[in-house]
Amino acid sequence: APMTVFTPANLLTLSRICLVLVFALCMLYGHFGWALVTFVVAGDFDLDRDGVNDRGGNLVIEDLVKKWGGKVSDELTPLTDFVVLGVKPRDPRTAGGPAREPGQAPPPNPAADRYDRVASQSSKFAIPVLTQEVFLNYLGYSDRQAHR
């Protein structure tokens, strides 16, 4: 059977690449309403770049998405346009706390579970993943703190 380049997955990826260009041009020329795309934000973020994840950093990222005309969704679907992924959240109850007994299951960590699910699904659905640095650079925050 002949191999085709225009598979549904490739067409979806190509359309998303084109949407990045449309998004950038809309943002550049101040047409924020036209730049409405859907983002999912997951993970912890170090916005002041001091080496410590900021409490509520994901909310700051979500506010920036909304400020620039995007829409934030809690769940990732094939219609999601971009994922902004921080670092995997650690469970604050176990970070620096007492060691678990051998064979004891780790306590549930919903934030880490959501992070893993979003990372896995974004790969499955071929959705572009933006790191904190890439996302902030797109918005012009490369040389300054995002939450000033």
Side-chain angles (χ1 to χ4, degrees):
M3 191 171 163
T4 180
V5 177
F6 297 106
T7 65
N10 288 348
L11 290 172
L12 185 61
T13 300
L14 184 60
S15 67
R16 286 193 175 116
I17 291 170
C18 292
L19 280 174
V20 169
L21 297 173
V22 170
F23 176 74
L25 288 172
C26 287
M27 298 308 295
L28 180 66
Y29 290 105
H31 299 289
F32 303 123
W34 291 102
L36 186 63
V37 292
T38 303
F39 287 79
V40 170
V41 179
D44 288 341
F45 297 89
D46 176 17
L47 299 173
D48 57 8
R49 297 179 176 100
D50 66 353
V52 178
N53 293 330
D54 300 323
R55 182 182 303 263
N58 58 328
L59 299 176
V60 173
I61 296 292
E62 289 177 6
D63 286 344
L64 286 170
V65 167
K66 293 172 188 173
K67 174 184 173 187
W68 288 94
K71 184 173 85 172
V72 177
S73 176
D74 290 332
E75 292 300 319
L76 192 135
T77 70
L79 300 177
T80 302
D81 297 299
F82 296 98
V83 170
V84 182
L85 206 55
V87 297
K88 185 173 180 174
R90 293 184 352 171
D91 189 338
R93 296 171 296 180
T94 60
R100 291 190 316 269
E101 295 291 325
Q104 182 182 11
N109 185 346
D113 294 343
R114 179 177 182 271
Y115 178 92
D116 290 339
R117 188 173 60 255
V118 167
S120 171
Q121 287 179 334
S122 64
S123 176
K124 176 182 172 185
F125 295 139
I127 296 171
V129 175
L130 307 175
T131 63
Q132 169 185 315
E133 292 302 315
V134 170
F135 175 74
L136 294 177
N137 283 337
Y138 277 141
L139 298 184
Y141 287 98
S142 59
D143 296 329
R144 58 184 175 208
Q145 296 171 353
H147 66 284
R148 277 189 189 172

